[in-house]
Amino acid sequence: MDIFDNKKGGFTIMSGKTDVHGGFGQGVLDLNAVSSVIIDGDEAYIDMGALHAKSSVEKGIKWTMNKEEVPNGKPYWLVWVTVDRNEAGPYYAGATACYMEIDREARRGYKILADHVNRMDYSMKRRIMLSDLSEKEKAALKKLLIDNNADMFENSTEELKQNLS
């Protein structure tokens, strides 16, 4: 599966700029280069539904910011991966991890939505923030990125490679 093949459109954010034709489309935030990866234990997979908080693990969950309300929650990580091109070709430019816990049986989950949004933004700004992942989770993410496109991983920054080793 190619990380470039699963994108649709972008979100419009209101902006004060007026130098765009008729003011239409000004301040557009383009999510075409962002993909969402779910890490479930030692398995990582792309789930584009997470862009709208509708990944396979998030569907049907009532969210809380109080961790105590989800005592039997299973830990998951959502990783925002941004791709770009440099002189060598496409590469993984940004990667940021967000924590969440989900109790499927109780249909309750813990996450801090603002953190998820901020980290998506950080990924789009080409930042790497993976230090909270365990070695097992880093290995799963690294395997997914390499299996998806080994050349893209090879073209990526040393910062990403060091964060995943």
Side-chain angles (χ1 to χ4, degrees), residues 7-160:
K7 310 296 180 287
K8 295 180 183 169
F11 292 99
T12 301
I13 296 178
M14 302 310 275
S15 170
K17 289 184 179 181
T18 58
D19 59 351
V20 179
H21 172 70
F24 178 77
Q26 60 188 346
V28 172
L29 177 61
D30 187 6
L31 295 177
N32 285 330
V34 179
S35 293
S36 44
V37 173
I38 301 292
I39 300 177
D40 179 357
D42 59 357
E43 178 189 9
Y45 55 91
I46 297 170
D47 189 332
M48 295 306 292
L51 283 169
H52 303 286
K54 294 184 188 230
S55 67
S56 58
V57 297
E58 293 172 295
K59 283 183 182 172
I61 300 298
K62 182 176 179 183
W63 297 100
T64 179
M65 291 183 3
N66 183 356
K67 203 171 189 177
E68 287 75 40
E69 292 180 32
V70 191
N72 300 317
K74 178 180 176 184
Y76 292 90
W77 287 92
L78 169 58
V79 181
W80 302 111
V81 178
T82 302
V83 295
D84 201 352
R85 289 186 179 274
N86 61 19
E87 56 282 345
Y91 72 104
Y92 301 112
T96 56
C98 314
Y99 183 73
M100 59 185 168
E101 286 186 20
I102 299 171
D103 182 344
R104 299 269 346 138
E105 189 174 307
R107 301 177 65 92
R108 300 281 292 167
Y110 161 80
K111 73 176 174 182
I112 300 172
L113 182 59
D115 185 50
H116 285 234
V117 172
N118 288 334
R119 290 190 182 231
M120 179 197 292
D121 179 57
Y122 295 156
S123 176
M124 292 172 64
K125 291 176 178 170
R126 313 310 189 244
R127 294 185 189 169
I128 308 296
M129 298 174 69
L130 303 171
S131 60
D132 293 333
L133 297 176
S134 70
E135 295 306 313
K136 177 175 70 168
E137 293 154 347
K138 287 179 183 180
L141 178 59
K142 182 177 182 179
K143 180 182 182 325
L144 174 72
L145 295 177
I146 291 171
D147 288 350
N148 178 69
N149 190 318
D151 290 336
M152 284 178 64
F153 187 78
E154 190 57 37
N155 292 342
S156 296
T157 64
E158 285 305 312
E159 181 184 11
L160 175 66

